[in-house]
Amino acid sequence: LVAHGAPIRGRGRDLALPGRADRLPVRAACCLMFRLPGMGFCTTCPLLPSDEAGARYAAYLDRVRTAGP
């Protein structure tokens, strides 16, 4: 994981989402969920490129906000 640039210590980080007030939380370490059959990378995975993670998280926020309470 370190070879792919994943931080292995610390508290994670937040990245700005272009054009939005929201911030993208990025985990401090990978949970390895992508290794399970039928699963992919988490939206907050440190192994995802920032632009892909940002697009996934923005889509998630849009779905949650339109679904309402």
Side-chain angles (χ1 to χ4, degrees), residues 1-26:
L1 298 175
V2 174
H4 291 284
I8 59 170
R9 296 180 189 259
R11 298 174 50 184
R13 54 196 159 92
D14 288 333
L15 301 176
L17 291 175
R20 300 178 74 118
D22 305 298
R23 302 202 41 94
L24 166 66
V26 179

Side-chain angles (χ1 to χ4, degrees), residues 12-43:
R13 54 196 159 92
D14 288 333
L15 301 176
L17 291 175
R20 300 178 74 118
D22 305 298
R23 302 202 41 94
L24 166 66
V26 179
R27 294 173 187 236
C30 180
C31 68
L32 302 176
M33 186 172 79
F34 71 93
R35 297 190 69 187
L36 296 173
M39 301 302 291
F41 290 101
C42 297
T43 301

